[in-house]
Amino acid sequence: TVLDPTLDLSACAREPIHTPGAIQPYGLLLVVDPSRWVVIERAVADPALVEAFGDPLGQPLDQVLGGALAHAQATLAALAPDTSAFLGALKLGEAGPHHTLAHRSTHCLLVEMEAPIAGEPGSLEDLYPAIRQFMAEIEKATSVAEQCAIASEHVRTLAQFDRTLVYQFDKEWNGVVVAEDRNEILPSYMDLRFPESDIPAQARALYQRNRVRLIADCDYVPVPLLRDGARADEPPTDLSASVLRSVSPVHLQYMRNMGTGASMSVSLIREGQLWGLISCHNRAARRVPYHVRTACEFIGQILSLQIALKERALAVEERIARRAIQVRLLARMAGDEDFMAALGRDPESLLALTGAGGAAIVHRGVCVMLGDCPSQSQILDLVHWLTLHHGDQDVFWTEKLPAAWQEADAFCGPASGVLAISISQLHDSFVLWFRPEVVRTVRWGGDPRHKAQAQVLTPRMSFEAWKQTVRQQSLPWQEVDRDSALELRTAIVDIVLRKAEEMAELNE
Ligand code: BLA
């Protein structure tokens, strides 16, 4: 495949991969006009089928393929828009039983029939023991990483790939490989990162919708979808829901570069969003039987649910731990005349409250410093800047302070990240927490910078990991960190008010 080197990266996301006008050659696709029940387009890979049954184009569906679909017509008629139905394995004469799927879209009905695979399981039930085993194991996992590792192993055993990995997206849709199971045929990708453009937005949208995508052979010859002349000017048919949908030539080239003849991905969806993929690779071409794909889809759904549960449970544990720290700090403050100074007498708790490397308490011009901090004058400058620019905020945070305020360049070592609460506007009272610059050493699967240069749309020819460092940035402040800071602020402000009232009573 020769790829156009003048295309830019955004072109990746614009490629209309849902209307390729062709299918992969493992069966046949009929496009049916549901108002007339006539086949208006077709792609049939096996010429023997056309010979045996005649060309379906223009034929009424109930006559097509020797009546094999006739019994399903009621099911098809009842399909709601944007839904699919599995019609079972329909026997097509000599060509054997074809797993048949129907999808109803707004304008038409897609009927797909997959050619049989030698030795495939007869039913999903045959695979149930493997699924049950998976459920038993994943329930015992103590971390998300372990859950993903268990799923990788089970999907690899079930679907028999050389390598299975779990790929997790970050906020910017770059991905990192968080679990892997493999034999010695393909290399390890564990911990590697890949740029967002490797799985462009419209591809992610399709994976959000269809949970399993099989590309059985990166060297396949596409079978064109043919229509009669009267429909020549109609827009191309949307194959979003089609299992056999032909693949972007760019991605096929990418697979060849990776040394993978076949790939399958199973979507992991958490709270309605694509969280990641279970991505499977094989050196040689490989078809995965329908029931095996369904079992893998099921494993993907169970994994998604388990990840959500585990993340929630870990978050609750973390909140309880922070609450305990807060109680300790408040007890100390309550028993002390100078409550702001009291905060500084338990450095360990104050730092642990937000997971910081350093902290400073600034009150009436006095600055108490704990852990890893900028200098006193730098902290006072920072407080001045905060008062000027963020004085109306109870809480302020950033993980890129130098990006917001250039002077912070000078002390980004201990304090690339800052979380601050303002206690009293009147007295410039602040509590600040600092996080150090994480010169994060990141391994990328491909240098994203290359893509901004000449070979842009050519998938990278090398998977050499390279190191990218993220400068002047700390680890992000999580919601639990910010909430802990804000709760401490509320408690301190209460104390300040109470002290003020006590003073007033004394003066009466
Ligand atoms: C699809 N790209 C994909 C898919 C994966 C990747 C997993 C899903 C389909 C599949 O299972 O093969 C990428 N595969 C990876 C990565 C790893 C992996 C990162 O195993 C890491 C371990 N891809 C590019 C560029 C374009 C591009 C520059 O690199 C630009 C056109 C396109 N990728 C692209 C498209 C698809 C895709 C269009 C959708 C293929 C389809 O479903 O039709």
Side-chain angles (χ1 to χ4, degrees), residues 297-445:
E297 179 178 353
F298 197 39
I299 285 186
Q301 282 177 324
I302 295 168
L303 176 62
S304 305
L305 289 172
Q306 291 289 334
I307 288 172
L309 281 176
K310 184 61 70 193
E311 284 183 345
R312 231 172 283 149
L314 291 173
V316 169
E317 269 174 38
E318 190 57 43
R319 284 206 179 250
I320 291 171
R322 299 290 175 100
R323 204 44 65 72
I325 296 169
Q326 192 189 324
V327 167
R328 221 161 39 233
L329 283 170
L330 290 177
R332 226 175 225 287
M333 291 171 76
D336 206 309
E337 270 296 289
D338 185 351
F339 61 92
M340 285 295 270
L343 259 190
R345 287 191 202 106
D346 186 357
E348 207 177 301
S349 298
L350 190 64
L351 296 179
L353 185 74
T354 63
I361 302 144
V362 178
H363 187 50
R364 297 177 196 270
V366 180
C367 176
V368 178
M369 289 146 65
L370 311 166
D372 232 356
C373 289
S375 73
Q376 175 154 334
S377 67
Q378 287 168 334
I379 293 175
L380 293 175
D381 284 351
L382 172 59
V383 164
H384 185 66
W385 177 80
L386 278 174
T387 315
L388 272 181
H389 296 277
H390 299 278
D392 54 341
Q393 285 169 246
D394 294 343
V395 58
F396 169 86
W397 74 90
T398 174
E399 47 257 11
K400 298 175 195 170
L401 184 60
W405 182 45
Q406 221 196 330
E407 265 88 321
D409 269 5
F411 53 89
C412 68
S416 283
V418 173
L419 171 59
I421 50 176
S422 97
I423 307 297
S424 155
Q425 303 271 351
L426 215 55
H427 304 291
D428 276 1
S429 299
F430 281 87
V431 180
L432 307 107
W433 289 269
F434 305 113
R435 275 189 184 171
E437 177 180 37
V438 182
V439 181
R440 273 183 283 181
T441 305
V442 176
R443 299 173 69 211
W444 288 80

Side-chain angles (χ1 to χ4, degrees), residues 7-8 47 104 156 190 204-205 211 225 250 272 277 305 344 439 483 488 493 501:
L7 286 170
D8 64 51
R104 178 73 203 257
R156 195 166 92 78
M190 188 65 195
R204 295 193 302 266
R211 309 268 169 108
L225 196 55
V250 186
L277 297 171
L305 289 172
V439 181
D483 287 353
L488 183 71
V493 170
E501 279 167 14

Side-chain angles (χ1 to χ4, degrees), residues 12 167 194 198-199 207 213 245 251 254 258 263 265 281:
C12 276
Y167 185 79
F194 294 86
D198 278 20
I199 312 178
Y207 301 146
R213 171 70 162 150
R245 173 174 59 83
H251 184 57
Y254 181 108
M258 265 173 126
S263 76
S265 37
H281 303 118

Side-chain angles (χ1 to χ4, degrees), residues 28-30 38-44 49-50 53-60 64-65:
L28 59 96
L29 171 65
L30 305 175
V38 166
V39 175
I40 52 174
E41 286 179 45
R42 59 87 163 158
V44 186
L49 273 178
V50 178
F53 297 100
D55 190 333
L57 202 58
Q59 302 293 318
V64 167
L65 305 164

